[in-house]
Amino acid sequence: MKMLVTGAAGFIGSNFVFHQLKKRPKTQIVGLDALTYAGNYETLKPLEGHSQFRFIKSDITDKSSIDVLFDTERFDVVVNFAAESHVDRSIENPSIFLSTNIIGTQVLMDAALRYDVRRFHQISTDEVYGDLPLERPDLLFTESTPLHTSSPYSASKASADLLAQAYYRTFNLPLSISRCSNNYGPYHFPEKLIPLAITNALADKPIPVYGTGENVRDWLYVEDHCEAIDCIITRADSGSVFNVGGHNEMRNIDIVKLILDKLQKPESLIEYVSDRKGHDLRYAIDPSKIENELSWTPKTQFAEGLDRTIEWYLRNETWWSRILTGEYRKSLPR
C-alpha cells in the first residue's frame, strides 16, 4: 500500500507516520508538509534514509505540484492532516485558514478523484460542532450534531467537512472523516495548552490561562487517535463520519494545576488573561459509534498519558527549545 500523509511534520501527522511505519512496515509513506511555523522537519529527521518513507516539502494548495505528485506516486490512501489549526491565529488572520483548510482540501480531493485513490481520509475536529453549556454534562457531541462553528478556524474545518461529504455524494469519492477531541502527547507544538504549560513551568515563566480557566475539553492521547484513524481507513465504510474522543473531560485550569503539581512548580505561575473572543465553553465527544462499529476504544488513561507526555518533554528539551528560539525553522529536508 502506498500512502500520502499531508501535514506530516505537524503534531498528529508525525505521530501517525511513526505509528504506521511501526504497525504496517510494508506500507510506503510519502509525507508532505509546507513547513510553515507549526511544521517541524526536525521531528521527522530520524526517518531520513528510511526505506519506506520519503518527505516532500510542498503546499496542498499548489495544484500543479499536487497533480505531479499524484501522477508520479499513484497513492492508494490519502490522510489529510494538513491544516492551520490555532484558533487565536485564525482570529488574527482568517484568510490563510480558508486557503489551506478549504481550498487545500479541495485540491487534494480533485487529485484523489483523478488518480483513483482508494480512500481519502479527512482529519477534522470536534470544534465544528461549536460548544456545549457547562451546566449540562449530560450533553455530548454525536456525529449527527449540527455543525455550529465559533471561530474562523472551526468554520474552515466545517467547510472542508461539508465539501468532502459533497465530493462523496456527487463524485463518489471514497472517503471518511474523523472528528477528534483535543490531542496531547509527544511532538506537540508549544503554543497549545499542555506543552505550553509544561515548557513555561520548566522555565519558571507565567502560564497564561484564558478567563477563569473554566472551559472544558475532552482529551485524547495522540497514539490512541492514530490507532483510531488506522481502524477507519482500513475497515470503515466509505462515506463514514466518526467522532474520536478520550472519555476525559477536564477544565483548562485543572490541567494546568495538575502539570504544575507534577513538576513541583508553584501555582503562582498561573497568569489569568483576557478571554479569547468567541471562546467555546465545553467540548464533549460521544465516541460510541467508532467503539461499536470498529471496536476501537482509547487505551491511555489521562493520568498515564500526561505522565508520559511530561516525561517526553523532559527528555527532549532540545526539540522544544529549538522551537522557542526559532532555530527549528532552519532545518530543511536534504
Side-chain angles (χ1 to χ4, degrees), residues 4 6 18 55-56 63 68-69 72 94 115 120 154 180-181 187 196 200-201 236 251 255-256 282 322:
L4 173 65
T6 69
F18 294 134
F55 180 82
I56 295 176
K63 182 180 183 301
V68 169
L69 178 64
T72 303
Y115 295 101
F120 183 96
S154 58
C180 67
S181 57
Y187 302 110
L196 176 65
N200 278 25
R251 300 188 308 169
I255 295 276
V256 173
R282 171 176 170 256
R322 284 177 59 80

Side-chain angles (χ1 to χ4, degrees), residues 62-176:
D62 186 342
K63 182 180 183 301
S64 59
S65 295
I66 294 299
D67 282 347
V68 169
L69 178 64
F70 274 70
D71 186 44
T72 303
E73 299 291 346
R74 303 288 170 159
F75 297 110
D76 300 298
V77 175
V78 175
V79 185
N80 182 29
F81 292 95
E84 295 287 342
S85 64
H86 196 256
V87 174
D88 290 338
R89 291 177 184 265
S90 80
I91 294 171
E92 295 170 3
N93 182 18
S95 61
I96 185 63
F97 286 74
L98 305 185
S99 176
T100 299
N101 298 355
I102 304 173
I103 301 303
T105 301
Q106 176 239 319
V107 168
L108 289 172
M109 291 193 297
D110 283 343
L113 280 171
R114 190 175 301 114
Y115 295 101
D116 297 319
V117 166
R118 296 207 312 258
R119 172 57 61 90
F120 183 96
H121 185 71
Q122 175 70 6
I123 303 295
S124 188
T125 169
D126 58 1
E127 295 189 45
V128 300
Y129 298 122
D131 63 352
L132 296 167
L134 295 175
E135 66 275 11
R136 289 292 306 275
D138 56 307
L139 295 179
L140 301 171
F141 295 137
T142 71
E143 289 80 2
S144 60
T145 299
L147 305 189
H148 186 72
T149 62
S150 304
S151 69
Y153 161 62
S154 58
S156 68
K157 292 298 289 183
S159 299
D161 281 12
L162 293 171
L163 188 62
Q165 290 177 311
Y167 267 58
Y168 168 69
R169 178 159 180 170
T170 303
F171 304 117
N172 295 316
L173 176 65
L175 64 82
S176 47

Side-chain angles (χ1 to χ4, degrees), residues 282-319:
R282 171 176 170 256
Y283 303 147
I285 282 278
D286 177 1
S288 58
K289 180 181 177 182
I290 190 172
E291 292 174 352
N292 294 332
E293 294 188 11
L294 302 181
S295 300
W296 172 90
T297 54
K299 297 178 181 178
T300 310
Q301 297 295 317
F302 184 74
E304 174 195 355
L306 187 60
D307 284 343
R308 287 161 63 182
T309 301
I310 291 173
E311 178 61 28
W312 188 89
Y313 279 86
L314 289 171
R315 287 187 288 102
N316 291 274
E317 183 176 353
T318 300
W319 181 87

Side-chain angles (χ1 to χ4, degrees), residues 189-216:
F189 199 82
E191 68 179 357
K192 301 298 179 77
L193 179 66
I194 287 179
L196 176 65
I198 294 170
T199 55
N200 278 25
L202 290 173
D204 295 310
K205 292 182 178 180
I207 301 170
V209 173
Y210 282 123
T212 58
E214 301 293 316
N215 306 71
V216 172

